[in-house]
Amino acid sequence: MRLTKLFGKTLREVPAEAETVSHQLLLKSGMIHQVAAGVYSYLPLAWRVLRKIERIIREEMDAAGGQELSMPVLQPFEIWEESGRDLAFGKGLFTLLDRRERKLVLAPTHEELITDLARRNVQSYRDLPRMLYQIQTKFRDEPRPRGGLVRVREFTMKDLYSFDVDEVALDISYQRMLQAYKNVYARCGLDTVVVEADSGAIGGKDSHEFMVIAESGEDEIIYCNGCGWSANVEKATFAKTSLECEQLLSLEEVATPGAKTIEEVARFLGVPKERTLKAVFYSVDGELVFVTIRGDIEVNEVKLKNALKCSDLRLANDEEGQEAGLVAGSASAAGLSGIKVVADDSITLGQNFVVGANKADVHLKNANYPRDFKVDLMIDIAQAVAGYQCIKCGGDLLSTRGIEVGHVFKLGTAFSEKQGALYLDRDGNQKPLVMGCYGIGIGRLLAAAIEQNHDEKGIIWPVPIAPYHVYLCALGGEEGEIVSAAEALYAELKERKFEVLFDDRTESAGVKFNDADLLGMPARIVVSRRTLKSNSAEVKLRSEKDAELVKLGEVANRLAILLQ
RNA sequence: CGGGGUGUAGCGCAGCCUGGUUAGCGCGCAUGGUUUGGGACCAUGAGGUCGGCGGUUCAAAUCCGCCCACCCCGACCA
């Protein structure tokens, strides 16, 4: 492709709206254009990258036993009512009415439809296992699109669904997909880490996310420097410290004027934070829930939400707390009734805690579970933080951020049971299909690739997904000798099946070099009066600092080696 | 939805506070000329519903009100 013919121009300055590196570089290089919040056009250079990523994905999915199909984006609303996910997605679901006033959905994902297909086409264990996938547009009305292509409202996703006879067989499919995903990212030139992930309200046992470590990532990852275990902070567990065992003392009221927060109460009474119990009020699907956890630990709302199996969870406001008779700043489960109480198991890792007395400016000393109060649900709802200890090996936990470029998920029978996707086993018993699902966001992967492969000058494409392999640069304007040498090289490289972007513009050297660096093709070739003196061209890798002179006749061979 | 911010030419911005000719600057773009190894130079030129609607005023990019869009933080987010 000649740069004089290419659709899309590089920018001298970066549009003001971009903050993350990938967003800035995608805009500056002229690869994308924003149409609305979280909605983009992909110009030819970006489109070539996306197609290369898709191709790699197709090859790996096919190799793992996947069969490609295509399901519609436009779907009847009823199928979403059938699974109950019209509520789960809520406002995130794009809906519309057709001319007959029929309600339709622009699908955010395709579990419902694939389950529907499966129930029509799978009757017997002989029809299993199956892996089906598509590369399809999805719509999600995200509350806040962000980071360029990292979080958008219309995007392309590869989604694969596995169908098996039981959990054991699902494990095999799941492991096969994990490996296929690793292959995909490796081939795309991406370093990813696999982390344990939250499986959401739908349930299921295992879920893993593939993360590209990046400062601009949306997700926080907790990992252990000892054993290498890692998890999304939404899911991460840690070893809660146990306080020294003490004899139980009797409850004692103590005045704590003005002390409301854990810090204030602890300081006022001269006890460490871990000797107190924190009280947090939540509004859960409209009902007030009292949550308590040891004073040195924060509540993880994702864990809480999962524990309560609710769809809407938020901190209760002051009025809601008062209506329920709670005394903010001095609340505790001791003496509380008529309100659901959820506790983190950390409240059992010590004795004689300071808790609220449910009277303003008064706290209780020496509160102990279950002697002094009851809870309705005791479960891990603690937020992991860097510096805590690993639950597996006791090593130190660390924190970093990442972009989620893939998510794999054991669905189990959640969808097949609701939608009646059943098969007959060897013994003639009717059983629900055991499902898994596996997604890769293509555009987000592109963004992550740039986050991970750039320098201050621009993009540094990994060879397998680079829009072109070579940036061929003719310096020296209209000089016949240079032009004809560059043209000859262009023709030869194309003949040798290199993908070449030929900068045939009459621009100054500086402009061309800067665009070459910005656009980031793996190799740059320069033909100029200087190089032609030795009948050579200059060959430089984008990732390397230095260039080398190569005889014109050897350039193709040299490139073949360098780009391997 | 809560908080903060921005809307003036394709991109980056000034002008607004303190209303007053044909609304500026840089980049980019077009034409001609001189240049050519790290974002050259000269000349000429094209390009604007000043986000929208309404109000105040003799007069609004500028003041007031409402709305919209976009960005950032949070909430939200298989």
Side-chain angles (χ1 to χ4, degrees):
Chain A
M1 169 61 70
R2 291 168 190 272
L3 216 49
T4 52
K5 302 276 190 280
L6 179 71
F7 184 78
K9 286 198 162 64
T10 58
L11 300 176
R12 192 75 160 260
E13 283 163 300
V14 185
E17 75 245 26
E19 292 216 341
T20 60
V21 169
S22 63
H23 192 191
Q24 290 180 344
L25 289 175
L26 282 164
L27 289 170
K28 194 173 183 213
S29 61
M31 295 205 293
I32 60 171
H33 175 253
Q34 181 170 358
V35 178
V39 181
Y40 289 87
S41 291
Y42 304 98
L43 279 65
L45 284 178
W47 190 242
R48 285 180 71 92
V49 177
L50 293 172
R51 280 167 54 204
K52 288 191 175 186
I53 294 170
E54 288 179 7
R55 180 174 177 179
I56 289 169
I57 291 173
R58 283 197 169 92
E59 287 173 6
E60 292 298 333
M61 293 303 112
D62 290 345
Q67 300 179 52
E68 188 170 2
L69 48 64
S70 180
M71 291 177 281
V73 176
L74 196 61
Q75 304 178 356
F77 187 73
E78 289 78 44
I79 195 160
W80 287 81
E81 292 177 312
E82 192 175 333
S83 69
R85 289 212 298 176
D86 55 329
L87 299 175
F89 268 97
K91 287 184 172 172
L93 207 55
F94 271 110
T95 57
L96 66 155
L97 297 175
D98 69 10
R99 64 171 72 202
R100 294 180 192 81
E101 304 276 300
R102 183 178 180 180
K103 199 168 177 186
L104 298 165
V105 170
L106 292 178
T109 174
H110 284 75
E111 281 79 12
E112 281 77 2
L113 223 50
I114 198 81
T115 306
D116 179 64
L117 267 183
R119 73 183 162 192
R120 294 166 197 282
N121 287 282
V122 176
Q123 278 97 37
S124 155
Y125 71 93
R126 293 175 197 275
D127 296 328
L128 298 171
R130 288 291 181 270
M131 286 182 171
L132 304 170
Y133 76 97
Q134 63 175 352
I135 294 176
Q136 181 62 284
T137 304
K138 316 276 187 188
F139 291 87
R140 295 182 189 177
D141 198 357
E142 297 289 350
R144 186 153 86 84
R146 68 183 90 177
L149 296 187
V150 171
R151 187 164 208 81
V152 292
R153 296 193 296 169
E154 174 179 336
F155 58 101
T156 306
M157 180 187 251
K158 185 287 302 177
D159 45 326
L160 183 143
Y161 306 88
S162 65
F163 298 91
D164 285 290
V165 292
D166 57 22
E167 294 284 340
V168 175
L170 169 60
D171 280 342
I172 295 168
S173 297
Y174 193 80
Q175 289 305 323
R176 183 171 291 179
M177 269 301 124
L178 276 174
Q179 186 56 51
Y181 270 46
K182 286 176 186 169
N183 297 346
V184 166
Y185 299 120
R187 285 183 63 187
C188 288
L190 281 181
D191 275 333
T192 56
V193 293
V194 184
V195 307
E196 292 182 13
D198 172 49
S199 55
I202 289 166
K205 285 196 196 71
D206 295 329
S207 176
H208 291 90
E209 289 165 335
F210 287 79
M211 296 283 191
V212 169
I213 302 303
E215 190 75 20
S216 61
E218 295 183 289
D219 291 284
E220 185 183 351
I221 301 162
I222 297 288
Y223 64 101
C224 173
N225 70 353
C227 63
W229 169 85
S230 61
N232 192 311
V233 71
E234 295 174 346
K235 156 96 176 183
T237 52
F238 61 95
K240 294 166 188 166
T241 52
S242 202
L243 303 186
E244 213 168 303
C245 209
E246 293 179 1
Q247 198 162 13
L248 301 195
L249 303 175
S250 52
L251 267 183
E252 183 186 331
E253 275 199 7
V254 39
T256 51
K260 289 182 182 300
T261 65
I262 290 295
E263 279 74 21
E264 289 163 357
V265 171
R267 197 179 320 125
F268 186 88
L269 295 176
V271 298
K273 283 196 291 183
E274 56 266 31
R275 309 235 39 135
T276 68
L277 297 186
K278 185 181 294 183
V280 193
F281 320 145
Y282 282 94
S283 170
V284 179
D285 292 338
E287 179 198 359
L288 195 112
V289 171
F290 183 97
V291 174
T292 186
I293 190 167
R294 214 171 64 190
D296 58 321
I297 304 173
E298 299 291 329
V299 174
N300 177 327
E301 294 184 1
V302 174
K303 287 184 182 177
L304 180 61
K305 192 171 175 180
N306 289 339
L308 293 169
K309 296 181 173 58
C310 60
S311 60
D312 182 48
L313 180 139
R314 59 174 173 80
L315 279 173
N317 57 38
D318 294 346
E319 295 83 64
E320 289 166 335
Q322 278 164 17
E323 272 172 41
L326 295 169
V327 185
S330 289
S332 79
L336 210 60
S337 66
I339 295 179
K340 185 168 189 174
V341 176
V342 179
D344 183 69
D345 53 14
S346 59
I347 69 165
T348 64
L349 301 174
Q351 292 83 32
N352 301 326
F353 290 107
V354 171
V355 305
N358 294 315
K359 282 193 281 191
D361 295 328
V362 181
H363 279 75
L364 296 173
K365 286 184 8 184
N366 307 325
N368 290 286
Y369 174 84
R371 186 190 72 183
D372 301 318
F373 60 95
K374 305 277 178 289
V375 304
D376 298 294
L377 183 61
M378 174 83 75
I379 196 165
D380 170 38
I381 49 168
Q383 178 85 3
V385 175
Y388 287 177
Q389 262 64 57
C390 175
I391 203 166
K392 303 222 191 284
C393 76
D396 289 331
L397 294 182
L398 299 170
S399 167
T400 185
R401 299 193 73 81
I403 299 172
E404 176 191 345
V405 292
H407 196 161
V408 300
F409 204 98
K410 288 186 181 175
L411 294 174
T413 57
F415 286 88
S416 51
E417 282 181 26
K418 273 197 189 113
Q419 296 184 246
L422 309 171
Y423 74 98
L424 284 181
D425 72 8
R426 203 178 289 267
D427 305 317
N429 300 314
Q430 206 167 43
K431 288 183 175 168
L433 298 172
V434 181
M435 295 171 55
C437 72
Y438 316 83
I440 296 179
I442 316 277
R444 173 184 280 200
L445 197 156
L446 184 160
I450 294 174
E451 291 287 341
Q452 200 170 69
N453 299 284
H454 72 272
D455 61 17
E456 65 285 351
K457 288 273 187 183
I459 304 168
I460 306 172
W461 289 112
V463 176
I465 62 172
Y468 292 90
H469 301 134
V470 180
Y471 193 94
L472 173 60
C473 201
L475 296 186
E478 293 97 22
E479 288 183 47
E481 193 190 355
I482 297 169
V483 171
S484 59
E487 288 284 354
L489 204 47
Y490 179 48
E492 187 200 344
L493 291 176
K494 282 200 296 184
E495 180 69 23
R496 293 278 298 265
K497 301 300 177 203
F498 289 102
E499 298 169 16
V500 184
L501 189 58
F502 180 19
D503 191 346
D504 57 339
R505 298 174 301 176
T506 53
E507 288 285 355
S508 67
V511 171
K512 293 189 177 190
F513 288 151
N514 278 299
D515 276 342
D517 289 341
L518 172 63
L519 294 172
M521 303 318 150
R524 186 187 79 189
I525 299 176
V526 176
V527 178
S528 70
R529 181 194 303 275
R530 189 191 290 179
T531 67
L532 287 182
K533 274 183 190 154
S534 56
N535 198 35
S536 303
E538 181 190 280
V539 178
K540 176 185 169 299
L541 289 180
R542 178 65 179 85
S543 54
E544 302 290 329
K545 209 171 166 200
D546 299 316
E548 54 181 295
L549 269 181
V550 177
K551 293 290 180 198
L552 286 176
E554 283 302 312
V555 168
N557 290 335
R558 186 69 188 132
L559 274 180
I561 293 165
L562 287 173
L563 293 180
Q564 253 178 5

